[in-house]
Amino acid sequence: LKKLGYHVTTATNGAMALEVILAKQQSRGCLVVFDVVLMDLQMPIMDGIEAVSRLRASERQWLADHPAAGVAQKGKKHLVLGLSANSTAAISEQTKQAGFDNFLSKPFQVKSFQNLLLKSVD
């Protein structure tokens, strides 16, 4: 991703990913701080399903706590793409319920990622 010009921030588990996102929101005073979040579903400490569920809840809370900014950012949220080697229908449904915007099965080619990213922002 860096070779394609993306700035990459990494986290080793879902809890850390959520912490990084929330800290950036607080320091920048805005809701969306990353263009896209790639979230693996299976991680230690907190899995991706739980992390995204909490992220979506925090986004709703942020909008409630910042009504003036919320008007300008209404409908905005982080674009979250789920990643997993397990791509069953049940997993797909879990990601939708948790608030993922789309899902990419591993392993994947960079072109597949780019196509999904373009599809997800339309």
Side-chain angles (χ1 to χ4, degrees), residues 1-121:
L1 294 174
K2 287 180 182 180
K3 289 179 182 178
L4 294 173
Y6 293 97
H7 174 77
V8 177
T9 302
T10 61
T12 57
N13 60 63
M16 183 182 285
L18 188 59
E19 184 179 309
V20 166
I21 294 168
L22 298 179
K24 283 194 180 282
Q25 280 179 331
Q26 186 173 1
S27 71
R28 293 183 182 175
C30 63
L31 178 62
V32 178
V33 294
F34 290 102
D35 293 327
V36 63
V37 175
L38 302 179
M39 185 74 72
D40 201 311
L41 302 187
Q42 292 85 28
M43 293 182 286
I45 301 175
M46 181 187 295
D47 66 24
I49 299 287
E50 181 65 25
V52 172
S53 293
R54 291 184 186 196
L55 172 62
R56 295 306 188 209
S58 75
E59 288 172 337
R60 289 188 297 273
Q61 187 61 53
W62 192 94
L63 289 170
D65 292 345
H66 300 85
V71 170
Q73 298 202 20
K74 187 173 182 169
K76 288 191 177 182
K77 61 180 183 162
H78 283 93
L79 172 62
V80 180
L81 304 179
L83 304 173
S84 180
N86 186 358
S87 61
T88 66
I91 293 294
S92 179
E93 184 58 31
Q94 280 183 309
T95 61
K96 287 178 188 173
Q97 292 295 320
F100 285 78
D101 294 294
N102 224 318
F103 178 80
L104 191 60
S105 183
K106 297 188 304 185
F108 61 88
Q109 300 293 319
V110 173
K111 190 68 172 166
S112 298
F113 164 74
Q114 289 175 309
N115 289 338
L116 184 64
L117 186 57
L118 289 172
K119 176 182 168 186
S120 299
V121 293

